[in-house]
Amino acid sequence: MAREAPLADVLAELVRGIESQSDGMLGSVLLLDPDGLTLRHGAAPSLPGAYRRAIDGVPVGPDIGSCGSAAHSGREVFVSDIAGDPRWRDYRGVALENDLQACWSVPVLNAGGAVLGTFALYYGAPRSPTPCEVQLIRQASRLAAIAIERHRAHEQLRRLASRDSLTGLPNRAQLMAGLAEALARCSRLPGEEVDQVAVLFCDLDRFKLVNDSMGHEVGDWMLGEVAGRLAASVRPGDTVARFGGDEFVVVAEHVTSRSAAALAARIHGALAPPLMHEQSGEHSVSATIGFALVGAGASAADAIRSADSALYDAKRKRLATGVYTAALRQRATAQLRLDSALRGAIEREELHLAYQPIVRLADDRTVAVEALLRWNHPELGAVSPGDFIAAAEETGMILRLGDWVLTRAAAEARAWNAPCAEPLRVSVNVSARQLADRTLPDRVERILAAESLDPALLVLEVTETALVEHDVLAAESLSRLHELGVRIALDDFGTGYSSFGRLRRLPIDAIKIDREFTAGLGTDRDATAIVTAMIGLAHGLDLSVTAEGVETAAQLGALRRLGCTHVQGFGIARPQPAADVAERRELGATDGDAQRD
């Protein structure tokens, strides 16, 4: 289990271990099918193949052998003589043909007592189990339950990493991966025709009014209905994904400008009929669509950005559909001017840091703050981090910005920690580009030394995506940083593709649950189950766990009950200037932000 092996391998190893305890015993694990009506083969490395095949799919019922009966009743069923037991009438022949004369079966139960499957031991002669053998099979069933539940939790995390829990559509991470693959498949077709991919960015009109007037329950229902209509309006092989909020993206390969426009028209037509909610009645829904045609050489990010530009232009002109054109390309030039302005922002002292408190739920005290970069341009005003951070990442300027953030955060953290007994850590985000730079550990070490900050007071946050993109470099850099005493937090946990094995191998001290999952606490059963699994995983690996995006008392209460150790979000405290952090430290203020529900 610790090696994150496939479930079948884990169960087979468990069976072999039990079999080794006594000569002649043959073990079997059957798993309850999702329909709850049959048991399917899980592991039986020593049972004859003919018998394994015969019981694969055995019904669950009161008189269906030992295993079917145990799964039906949820109680142990020990049959000492298969030949004479009436419960074996349907499977007696195949059992005796394979020299199986006794079968002792124990249900495999989850923590709530629900049946997951059965663990059975067979013997080649009629006999009852000894007390020691009874304890052995009971222990085996408990170990099997742990393996099955861990596997299911892992599969849930994997599904949620690629699927939107509300609509069931691919989420943003899966969309970007699939779009990159589609663009890589683009090639010049026979003749002069160019193979293109259409990216359609769909944004629901006035959706905020639905949430504000009818509530999020109706809004979520509407998103699900829209997702179904979008999926029904595209061609087989096209992709429909939820990008976020009320935004959807459609990716269609091998298209022309005319067929892409026709696809947009079909989507508008699919959304035209009103939706009927059983309680709130009829709802009209429409969308604004921006699409771009892209080909070989384009990146997924470029394609999305182009379609988004077309969407923005359509909204600005109050059109139903917008197309990415040369004119919009010119507008992108303005982004280049923004890049240029950013290059001088440090020298012109236009940058500053805001700090969002991270509260420890055990005593409701602020024990850390996350440093957030802000840019105030004399002409552009407050520039969104979403605009300039992405640009800095693409141009490589993120390395210089990252050093500035680390230096400023270290200096301000040293200043506010000096007069106080209880340390206050500062958390700084590290981008994929920074993590790929081999000199990162050396630069961090120099900055800490120059600012005289204890390395234990610095937390570096890295995303799952960055770890996957730069697996080897990340492992080297994080190990060196950890040796310095710097703490490492895995940010946006659950949105990428990190495995349990990676969590165990890398020197990670904490995980931060992405706001996408926190938002569903108390209302979305899947999100609550996933957060429960994440917190359990963190506790099992002795990691602290911070939930991001906490905005409501209900979310906070749920996180307390689930055993989350730390919280962060607008519902706890908004980002604040360094001077405010220092003032609160000097006053010795306690943190009543994380109010108890």
Side-chain angles (χ1 to χ4, degrees):
M1 283 186 278
R3 296 198 309 272
E4 200 183 343
L7 178 62
D9 293 350
V10 173
L11 295 177
E13 187 174 341
L14 172 61
V15 170
R16 291 191 188 96
I18 298 301
E19 291 174 341
S20 69
Q21 302 299 307
S22 178
D23 290 338
M25 286 196 308
L26 305 177
S28 166
V29 177
L30 294 176
L31 303 175
L32 186 65
D33 195 75
D35 64 12
L37 301 177
T38 56
L39 294 168
R40 310 299 303 193
H41 171 70
S46 303
L47 280 178
Y51 184 73
R52 285 202 310 268
R53 290 188 291 273
I55 64 171
D56 184 17
V58 60
V60 174
D63 296 304
I64 311 293
S66 299
C67 296
S69 301
H72 174 75
S73 65
R75 295 191 296 271
E76 299 168 352
V77 176
F78 295 161
V79 172
S80 59
D81 186 2
I82 291 176
D85 195 294
R87 288 169 292 191
W88 275 84
R89 61 180 178 274
D90 294 333
Y91 291 88
R92 182 182 295 116
V94 69
L96 297 179
E97 287 171 8
N98 287 278
D99 297 324
L100 304 174
Q101 299 193 48
C103 179
W104 318 319
S105 182
V106 174
V108 177
L109 307 176
N110 68 10
V115 174
L116 301 173
T118 60
F119 192 102
L121 289 178
Y122 292 84
Y123 208 78
R127 55 164 290 199
S128 298
T130 66
C132 181
E133 288 168 338
V134 171
Q135 291 303 316
L136 185 66
I137 193 172
R138 287 172 178 170
Q139 180 64 23
S141 73
R142 288 191 286 269
L143 291 174
I146 292 172
I148 294 167
E149 291 204 279
R150 285 187 178 180
H151 169 75
R152 290 183 176 179
H154 191 187
E155 289 302 304
Q156 273 190 306
L157 287 172
R158 190 186 302 277
R159 283 194 298 272
L160 201 57
S162 62
R163 290 279 163 178
D164 173 59
S165 61
L166 178 63
T167 64
L169 296 176
N171 63 12
R172 186 184 304 190
Q174 182 69 10
L175 165 70
M176 298 305 284
L179 178 54
E181 292 173 1
L183 291 170
R185 288 191 290 268
C186 281
S187 60
R188 186 168 292 278
L189 299 176
E192 294 301 315
E193 187 178 0
V194 175
D195 193 10
Q196 297 180 105
V197 173
V199 179
L200 294 85
F201 210 122
C202 311
D203 181 79
L204 299 187
D205 300 327
R206 300 176 299 281
F207 181 74
K208 186 175 184 300
L209 291 176
V210 176
N211 276 336
D212 291 346
S213 61
M214 307 303 297
H216 288 277
E217 182 179 350
V218 174
D220 290 348
W221 165 82
M222 182 177 288
L223 290 173
E225 293 295 307
V226 167
R229 291 190 179 188
L230 289 176
S233 66
V234 302
R235 306 171 306 175
D238 293 345
T239 297
V240 179
R242 186 182 178 200
F243 196 75
D246 61 348
E247 297 174 332
F248 297 84
V249 171
V250 176
V251 176
E253 297 184 58
H254 315 306
V255 294
T256 63
S257 178
R258 178 175 295 180
S259 61
L263 176 56
R266 279 204 309 276
I267 291 173
H268 285 305
L271 297 179
L275 301 171
M276 183 61 67
H277 189 267
E278 60 181 10
Q279 294 177 339
S280 58
E282 186 175 284
H283 297 273
S284 296
V285 61
S286 63
T288 303
I289 300 174
F291 75 83
L293 296 174
V294 289
S299 70
D302 287 339
I304 291 291
R305 193 158 40 242
S306 297
D308 192 27
S309 295
L311 171 66
Y312 177 81
D313 187 61
K315 282 185 171 291
R316 185 174 62 86
K317 296 176 179 177
R318 298 187 178 182
L319 300 174
T321 302
V323 184
Y324 188 70
T325 63
L328 290 181
R329 201 170 295 121
Q330 292 174 358
R331 187 172 296 143
T333 306
Q335 181 64 47
L336 294 178
R337 290 198 293 269
L338 185 68
D339 297 346
S340 178
L342 180 59
R343 293 182 184 280
I346 294 177
E347 288 76 10
R348 293 190 299 269
E349 298 184 347
E350 296 168 0
L351 303 176
H352 71 278
L353 297 180
Y355 295 92
Q356 184 168 41
I358 299 172
V359 171
R360 182 173 58 204
L361 286 180
D363 54 9
D364 291 342
R365 296 192 65 87
T366 296
V367 293
V369 291
E370 180 179 353
L372 303 171
L373 184 58
R374 300 290 186 255
W375 179 22
N376 289 316
H377 189 274
E379 297 177 1
L380 301 174
V383 184
S384 168
D387 292 334
F388 70 84
I389 293 294
E393 181 87 2
E394 291 178 4
T395 61
M397 192 184 172
I398 194 69
L399 300 179
R400 188 170 170 227
L401 278 180
D403 283 356
W404 184 89
V405 171
L406 274 170
T407 302
R408 179 59 61 90
E412 292 177 338
R414 173 178 48 79
W416 66 53
N417 270 291
C420 301
E422 184 173 359
L424 182 69
R425 290 192 176 97
V426 63
S427 188
V428 175
N429 291 280
V430 175
S431 72
R433 188 74 172 263
Q434 290 173 277
L435 198 58
D437 189 335
R438 293 183 183 276
T439 67
L440 176 64
D442 294 331
R443 299 203 317 276
V444 171
E445 184 176 17
R446 284 197 300 270
I447 290 171
L448 291 173
E451 301 301 331
S452 302
L453 182 69
D454 182 353
L457 296 178
L458 176 63
V459 180
L460 294 181
E461 297 187 13
V462 297
T463 65
E464 291 186 85
T465 302
L467 290 180
V468 173
E469 287 180 4
H470 310 290
D471 197 0
V472 176
L473 279 176
E476 294 176 359
S477 295
L478 295 183
S479 295
R480 289 180 58 196
L481 289 164
H482 210 258
E483 290 170 1
L484 293 176
V486 174
R487 291 173 61 83
I488 307 298
L490 183 58
D491 196 15
D492 298 340
F493 183 64
T495 62
Y497 297 92
S498 66
S499 66
F500 288 177
R502 181 177 287 110
L503 286 178
R504 188 166 48 84
R505 291 194 308 271
L506 293 175
I508 294 171
D509 302 287
I511 63 172
K512 301 189 75 174
I513 298 176
D514 187 70
R515 65 185 64 247
E516 175 183 346
F517 307 124
T518 304
L521 283 176
T523 58
D524 186 327
R525 186 174 60 180
D526 288 345
T528 301
I530 294 304
V531 171
T532 302
M534 290 176 177
I535 293 174
L537 170 65
H539 290 333
L541 296 175
D542 197 24
L543 305 176
S544 68
V545 53
T546 298
E548 298 182 294
V550 179
E551 296 184 356
T552 68
Q555 293 167 356
L556 180 60
L559 290 165
R560 285 189 190 276
R561 291 190 294 273
L562 293 175
C564 186
T565 58
H566 299 77
V567 291
Q568 174 184 0
F570 281 7
I572 304 301
R574 289 179 175 272
Q576 52 197 243
D580 290 359
V581 177
E583 182 178 357
R584 288 178 60 82
R585 297 279 286 171
E586 291 171 3
L587 294 174
T590 59
D591 300 284
D593 306 283
Q595 62 185 26
R596 296 185 180 273
D597 60 345

